[in-house]
Amino acid sequence: MRRRVAVTGMGVVTPIGQTVESFADALRQGRSGAGPITLFDPACLPTRIAAQVPWTGPALRDRKVTFALEAARQALEGSRPPGMGGLSLGIGLELFSLDDLAARERPGFVPPAARTERLTFLQTPSDLCVHLIAKRHDLRAPPLTHVSACAAGTDAIGAGFRLVASGRRDWVLAGGADSMINPLGVAGFARIGATTTANDAPTRASRPFDRRRDGFLLGEGAAFLVLEPLETARARGAYVHAEVAGYGSSFDACGISEPHPEGRGAYQAMSRALAEAEVSPAAIDAVNAHGTSTPKNDPVETLALERLLGARARAVPVSATKSMIGHLISAAGAVEAVAAILGMEGGWVHPTINLDEPDPACGLDYVPHVARRHRQRHVLSNSFAFGGQNAALVLRSADAGG
Amino acid sequence: MDPRPQAADHDPVVVTGAGHVLGAPCDPTPWLKVRKNRKFMGVQDDLAVAAAGQALRAAGLESAALGERAGIYMSVGYVPFEREHLDLLRASSVDAEGRISPLRFSRDAFAALNPLLTFRCLSNMPAFHLSVNFDVQGPYLVSYPGAGQLYLALEEAVEALRTRQVDVALVCGVAHQRNALVEHHFSRLDPPAAAERLLDGAGCLVLEMARHAGERARARLRALEVAYTPAHPFEDTLVADERAWGARLPDGLLGPASLPVLVSLGLGAEIRHQVHTADGVHGVSTWSSA
């Protein structure tokens, strides 16, 4: 028998808030985290803006590991369920350091001897993050490391949900972490024309569903959810933020960098999440969209939502968190799940900022500019990856399911 | 650690096809349905497509419409990057003193950067190429980067079959390891792994429930167990160990490809595989004739 799965802890590090509370405030206010890139000198790269985390604490060489450790700490603070915990983490890949690449070719270079420096020189292997968290928090169930790119954060939560629902784990810390705001990350995305070049107006650059969108804004950060059986949470008197009710994933099996033109894979992932949650499309009260602000994603996601929601499509609020924090790649789905849960808990949907002139091909209610009071019992949260991997979650409010 | 016997003897998980490729380069073109994607494919993509193509052919599903009832559960090795590309990046980014010049990087290296490289080294791209060439539209799990994560992908595949999320599960491991970046990584471990020990390879198993497979069943998953000992990457040292009985693993390190390659090599024999990875994941499985 499947178990209902509660969210009993949350932690976030984002460009607009480094605690759950400050993130919620910023979302409601529609604050942008975008600005000029200061983490390195982008010189004359076509994209010179991003949504950086204003991190002032101690940091490891790889920022995403720092963010992941902090988000995990927050999520588990005061909310550790009983039993053996597991980890399910969506994480970005290790890119290499150009400075290290150059340094090792210079005369007199001595390779680092100490293990910490060795393991972080040139690149920090991303799986290292999983084991640091597992060791720090004594998570003894085998950890899953997801690398499904922009869908990885959602996949990590979905996999964690299923591990708990099926009884294969007592509880799971599930989330995502990424930072690609480095020379190779920014150049790589810019080289394939994926990122915005609106360098003169950073806070206006990420504009999902707007006619003038020109690519995504790169962001960084991390988020984690503590997932445990609802029954266990209630028995120990834990605060229940929400439930994860269903998860679906799919392949477009179509283009490498563009979605299926009819949104087939997106529709399949959402449909599977609804089926697992045992709710109909009529039960969906709001959507946290993938909403990348790229020319190709936004109309196709709209098409898929129109097909899924049918006649109700224009009555369901659709918010794009990326309008404020940019695209956090492997962390995006996890941070956006937290955003959706915060909205359910507070009875509001956050705005899609910068939506001044809706694309005629994007005709839904995207909650432009200003947050709105809106009671939600079920929210759909979407992530669609480069490479046609699609993932969706159905989140249920804590007071919806009896 | 003893593997947990797989329940449901009346309808066990079976292998209907297996394939593997050892060494690069390999030619995936016989399996490509969408030839225009060839330019996007790196070595790990070539290996994965060729291994999966063999496995599906062996399963009698080569020309089947897999569609929504098939899923991909794979683990991909460390991100590859070739020496020539690293050298080009560095040469077009440094100043006269050999230090990185942001201006040169953003102008010269950016122009020299082959945009296709992004596609050729991303870890989710092997899954993309499998989906598009074999029309897989079902669920997936893409894990990273070693033999332990392959075991976790296998567990998810078994669960997906048992819960009827899918009828066909492709369980694939792929590792492109003979390149500068991956060799660098293995050289810094305690103990280090010599570049000569690293192998390029991929393996793929087609798993189905016995009832669905019918007479196509070739082998059976008898038992499976995965466990974990958390280890601090900077402080603890776990020695990796991998063993096989009933079939012989190639001499060298195959990362996430080792188990499916082994099962492919000894398909139908009584096989036991056991791995303790340096990152603390322990996996053990037994396989037999159907």
Side-chain angles (χ1 to χ4, degrees):
Chain A
M1 181 174 149
R2 287 177 71 78
R3 307 189 291 189
R4 288 169 66 181
V5 177
V7 178
T8 56
M10 299 196 292
V12 291
V13 175
T14 79
I16 58 173
Q18 295 172 48
T19 64
V20 169
E21 294 75 19
S22 60
F23 181 50
D25 287 345
L27 287 171
R28 269 203 307 267
Q29 291 163 22
R31 193 186 309 152
S32 170
I37 290 173
T38 56
L39 292 170
F40 68 95
D41 178 0
C44 54
L45 283 175
T47 295
R48 300 185 293 280
I49 56 174
Q52 300 175 166
V53 171
W55 183 261
T56 54
L60 299 166
R61 288 196 79 187
D62 190 329
R63 286 168 67 84
K64 65 177 175 282
V65 181
T66 303
F67 301 153
L69 287 167
E70 168 59 14
R73 185 196 65 74
Q74 290 176 25
L76 285 168
E77 198 170 39
S79 181
R80 188 185 175 95
M84 186 190 286
L87 184 59
S88 180
L89 174 64
I91 192 155
L93 298 171
E94 59 268 11
L95 294 176
F96 46 89
S97 155
L98 284 174
D99 288 323
D100 288 355
L101 187 65
R104 72 176 191 171
E105 300 298 328
R106 287 199 292 270
F109 169 73
V110 178
R115 196 201 292 193
T116 305
E117 284 71 38
R118 265 187 292 142
L119 283 177
T120 55
F121 179 77
L122 192 58
Q123 50 157 208
T124 303
S126 293
D127 57 313
L128 178 147
C129 182
V130 170
H131 305 295
L132 278 174
I133 294 170
K135 183 73 175 178
R136 181 172 290 186
H137 297 287
D138 195 30
L139 305 176
R140 293 181 169 271
L144 264 169
T145 309
H146 304 261
V147 288
S148 39
C150 315
T154 295
D155 287 327
I157 294 171
F161 153 70
R162 289 205 177 133
L163 286 166
V164 175
S166 63
R168 290 179 290 151
R169 298 284 188 278
D170 293 333
W171 61 277
V172 169
L173 180 67
D178 212 341
S179 174
M180 294 189 77
I181 307 175
N182 51 55
L184 280 173
V186 174
F189 282 123
R191 192 72 180 86
I192 57 174
T195 43
T196 176
T197 55
N199 296 304
D200 296 334
T203 61
R204 312 274 297 153
S206 184
R207 41 194 328 122
F209 307 107
D210 188 89
R211 193 179 58 80
R212 287 170 293 172
R213 68 191 185 281
D214 72 336
F216 71 78
L217 176 82
L218 202 50
E220 59 176 358
F224 277 107
L225 307 178
V226 177
L227 306 177
E228 67 176 294
L230 181 63
E231 201 172 308
T232 310
R234 283 177 173 163
R236 71 185 183 95
Y239 178 77
V240 175
H241 294 276
E243 285 181 59
V244 179
Y247 162 61
S249 67
S250 74
F251 284 103
D252 273 352
C254 184
I256 197 165
S257 62
E258 66 271 3
H260 187 280
E262 292 157 14
R264 180 183 69 191
Y267 173 81
Q268 287 169 341
M270 292 188 287
S271 299
R272 288 170 191 161
L274 288 170
E276 184 158 34
E278 297 180 339
V279 297
S280 73
I284 295 300
D285 300 310
V287 176
N288 188 299
H290 185 52
T292 50
S293 185
T294 55
K296 287 176 181 167
N297 172 81
D298 297 358
V300 167
E301 184 171 14
T302 298
L303 266 181
L305 283 168
E306 285 173 341
R307 182 178 167 201
L308 183 84
L309 299 171
R312 288 182 66 243
R314 285 163 199 258
V316 177
V318 177
S319 301
T321 312
K322 291 182 183 74
S323 64
M324 289 176 265
I325 63 173
H327 193 343
L328 274 60
I329 313 294
S330 299
V335 172
E336 290 160 15
V338 171
I341 290 170
L342 290 169
M344 272 198 300
E345 284 187 288
W348 45 265
V349 284
H350 74 64
T352 300
I353 65 170
N354 301 323
L355 181 49
D356 301 328
E357 198 177 332
D359 183 332
C362 301
L364 304 180
D365 172 8
Y366 304 106
V367 197
H369 304 302
V370 181
R372 187 186 302 165
R373 297 295 306 173
H374 184 69
R375 183 164 180 261
Q376 304 143 75
R377 292 159 65 91
H378 293 95
V379 176
L380 196 58
S381 187
N382 289 338
S383 296
F384 308 134
F386 203 60
Q389 285 136 55
N390 310 289
L393 295 169
V394 173
L395 304 163
R396 180 182 288 143
S397 75
D399 56 5
Chain B
M1 186 174 73
D2 289 325
R4 189 185 309 150
Q6 294 292 288
D9 279 350
H10 59 288
D11 194 11
V13 172
V14 298
V15 184
T16 55
H20 68 273
V21 180
L22 293 171
C26 78
D27 180 15
T29 50
W31 315 104
L32 297 185
K33 283 188 186 144
V34 186
R35 302 226 167 207
K36 69 175 184 182
N37 284 336
R38 184 73 185 96
K39 66 183 179 203
F40 295 111
M41 294 177 73
V43 172
Q44 60 185 5
D45 306 314
D46 293 352
L47 292 165
V49 167
Q54 288 178 27
L56 285 165
R57 175 180 288 172
L61 297 173
E62 187 187 5
S63 52
L66 295 175
E68 295 195 47
R69 296 301 301 164
I72 294 172
Y73 302 84
M74 74 185 311
S75 187
V76 182
Y78 286 102
V79 177
F81 220 81
E82 302 286 359
R83 163 70 62 189
E84 61 180 303
H85 298 131
L86 288 174
D87 288 345
L88 176 65
L89 259 176
R90 187 182 55 79
S92 50
S93 301
V94 293
D95 60 18
E97 281 77 46
R99 297 179 193 283
I100 294 296
S101 154
L103 182 62
R104 283 212 68 210
F105 172 74
S106 66
R107 189 188 58 202
D108 302 338
F110 184 78
L113 198 64
N114 181 347
L116 296 177
L117 275 183
T118 306
F119 298 98
R120 290 175 185 165
C121 64
L122 286 177
S123 300
N124 66 324
M125 285 299 144
F128 162 75
H129 289 290
L130 296 192
S131 75
V132 80
N133 287 301
F134 305 113
D135 190 33
V136 178
Q137 298 173 33
Y140 61 85
L141 183 140
V142 185
S143 66
Y144 181 81
Q149 289 294 318
L150 188 282
Y151 263 93
L152 287 157
L154 172 61
E155 270 199 334
E156 293 305 309
V158 169
E159 178 75 5
L161 287 165
R162 291 236 166 92
T163 55
R164 303 291 191 264
Q165 292 169 53
V166 295
D167 296 326
V168 176
L170 300 184
V171 176
C172 302
V174 59
H176 172 206
Q177 303 186 106
R178 293 309 309 268
N179 59 79
L181 210 52
V182 177
E183 289 173 8
H184 160 77
H185 172 67
F186 279 94
S187 73
R188 62 187 172 175
L189 300 180
D190 283 327
E196 301 72 44
R197 295 273 299 146
L198 303 175
L199 303 178
D200 296 329
C204 182
L205 307 176
V206 180
L207 301 186
E208 302 175 52
M209 300 305 288
R211 253 183 224 154
H212 187 266
E215 295 192 348
R216 291 183 296 109
R218 308 268 304 275
R220 177 176 166 184
L221 174 60
R222 287 271 171 192
L224 170 66
E225 182 75 80
V226 191
Y228 180 54
T229 305
H232 196 296
F234 299 141
E235 295 167 8
D236 301 331
T237 300
L238 299 178
V239 178
D241 181 59
E242 183 168 32
R243 294 173 195 212
W245 295 265
R248 194 169 165 208
L249 272 171
D251 187 24
L253 302 173
L254 267 171
S258 64
L259 175 62
V261 166
L262 178 77
V263 175
S264 175
L265 285 166
L267 190 65
E270 300 285 324
I271 293 173
R272 179 185 168 99
H273 176 261
Q274 177 179 300
V275 67
H276 300 285
T277 63
D279 58 13
V281 181
H282 317 288
V284 57
S285 60
T286 58
W287 310 73
S288 70
S289 65

